[in-house]
Amino acid sequence: MRIPPFRLSLAVSSALVAGLLLGGCGTQTAASEAGGGGETGGPCAGGATSDGGSGGAAGARAERDGVRVVGVVERAGESASPSGRAGQRPGVSVTADSLPGVGTSAGPCVVRYDVTNPESEPFTYTITFSLMDEQGRAMSTVEETVASVGAGKTVQRILDHGGYPADGALDAGRVRILDVERVPSDEAPVPAGTCPASGLRLTADQGDAAMGLRVVGLHLENCGDRTYSLEGYPVLQLLDAEHQPVDGVEILRGTEGIPMAGGDGGAPRPVTLRPGEAAVSGLAWRNTTEFGEAVTVPYVRVRAEAGSDPVMVAPHLDLGTTGELGVRAWRKDESGAGAGRPGT
């Protein structure tokens, strides 16, 4: 993991938004969205696009791993294209998808971004944006998830955090893309409040770090309506940025071999989860770097046990040159974090 910049999905306060606002913003024609120099007009005229207009989002910071900060658009009746399509790219279909993300706060202009999936299957994207002040200092981070972007499709989304004055908008030039996580949609972690067909919801937490030790928790919630039993360790597959297997890393059963990680409390034992109960495991490693090439593992495919449905999480394991990752056995989560009605 890049140490957890432990991301927080923060609501931008009115004071912060006011510091990020400019008096006007610009809409794009279909030509400008496609990368050309289309004209701007309407109540958002005078703003920026990612193509280099005044105040626009700059270079690689405005486009990363299929995510692109386009610029500013009108909140209602977005006029980029009468058909709802932006500039076409070969082999890519672009749909407005009703521009989800638009809120009810005042203000005619909002920042728009596009997500393009070049893969042959649907992918789910989790994007971390940084909002900057006039001096380019990061003021806040915002995390958004765009679920199930179809193969070869581009969808449009809007950053809209509320607090817009009646005649202002968040300047696209102050929005940076910090990170993009992309996983196959059929392996994406299920969001809170929903339950997969298996009745088991598997997620990873934001992790913790201290003095070179890294720990990420794995959480398994029985959100279904029947009792579930398991014993042993999660089944892991380490993956690179292109979701290909990473070789040369030993996965240790237990964390006793990871300095300062502590023990696991003995051998694995059976765990029975009634509906609403949860189990916890965890990954532990050190990011020590000595001789050799440091290894980073962005993604891990996790199965609760052999034969279970896979879930791909993004802990960003910065393993250094240690070549080792410890995994803890499943234990009943006694904290009550998973307690509640099934499906909640």
Side-chain angles (χ1 to χ4, degrees):
M1 98 185 151
R2 139 218 56 186
I3 290 266
F6 304 135
R7 296 182 307 269
L8 297 175
S9 297
L10 301 177
V12 180
S13 67
S14 296
L16 171 59
V17 173
L20 297 173
L21 298 177
L22 294 181
C25 49
T27 57
Q28 293 77 43
T29 65
S32 67
E33 290 181 354
E39 297 177 357
T40 62
C44 298
T49 72
S50 59
D51 301 312
S54 174
R61 294 171 296 179
E63 186 165 5
R64 179 172 180 173
D65 296 334
V67 180
R68 181 172 67 114
V69 177
V70 175
V72 287
V73 297
E74 294 179 43
R75 179 182 301 278
E78 194 259 341
S79 58
S81 170
S83 66
R85 290 182 178 270
Q88 294 295 317
R89 302 180 187 176
V92 174
S93 172
V94 185
T95 59
D97 202 14
S98 300
L99 292 178
V102 176
T104 58
S105 57
C109 307
V110 287
V111 172
R112 200 197 83 190
Y113 65 95
D114 293 350
V115 181
T116 299
N117 173 22
E119 305 293 343
S120 59
E121 62 179 308
F123 266 67
T124 290
Y125 290 71
T126 301
I127 310 149
T128 304
F129 294 96
S130 178
L131 307 182
M132 320 297 289
D133 66 10
E134 291 182 348
Q135 285 72 45
R137 298 171 298 191
M139 299 296 290
S140 182
T141 58
V142 177
E143 182 180 282
E144 299 208 349
T145 297
V146 181
S148 298
V149 180
K153 302 290 185 180
T154 292
V155 298
Q156 302 173 355
R157 293 294 186 269
I158 279 178
L159 280 172
D160 187 9
H161 307 292
Y164 286 87
D167 60 352
L170 180 65
D171 175 22
R174 299 181 194 167
V175 177
R176 301 289 185 266
I177 302 171
L178 290 185
D179 186 52
V180 177
E181 297 171 357
R182 43 188 296 277
V183 301
S185 294
D186 60 1
E187 296 185 42
V190 176
T194 60
C195 188
S198 66
L200 296 174
R201 179 174 177 263
L202 195 157
T203 57
D205 61 30
Q206 298 289 339
D208 198 3
M211 300 179 65
L213 175 67
R214 315 288 197 246
V215 177
V216 168
L218 299 177
H219 304 269
L220 184 68
E221 178 189 356
N222 183 354
C223 56
D225 55 8
R226 66 178 183 85
T227 298
Y228 185 83
S229 298
L230 75 165
E231 181 178 1
Y233 300 86
V235 178
L236 309 179
Q237 184 182 25
L238 309 186
L239 304 172
D240 64 17
E242 301 303 321
H243 308 108
Q244 298 301 307
V246 174
D247 298 323
V249 177
E250 183 180 4
I251 298 177
L252 308 176
R253 289 197 163 193
T255 57
E256 290 86 354
I258 307 297
M260 298 178 62
D264 293 351
R269 50 183 182 267
V271 175
T272 299
L273 301 178
R274 295 189 297 273
E277 294 183 332
V280 62
S281 173
L283 311 177
W285 71 98
R286 297 193 65 83
N287 75 328
T288 306
T289 299
E290 296 178 342
F291 298 105
E293 183 177 355
V295 174
T296 298
V297 178
Y299 300 100
V300 179
R301 179 175 283 125
V302 184
R303 289 178 170 85
E305 58 182 352
S308 296
D309 293 339
V311 175
M312 192 179 296
V313 298
H316 296 271
L317 310 177
D318 56 338
L319 299 173
T321 56
T322 62
E324 293 181 336
L325 172 68
V327 55
R328 291 172 173 155
W330 290 113
R331 296 279 189 266
K332 176 73 75 70
D333 186 352
E334 304 294 352
S335 69
R341 293 177 292 117
T344 62

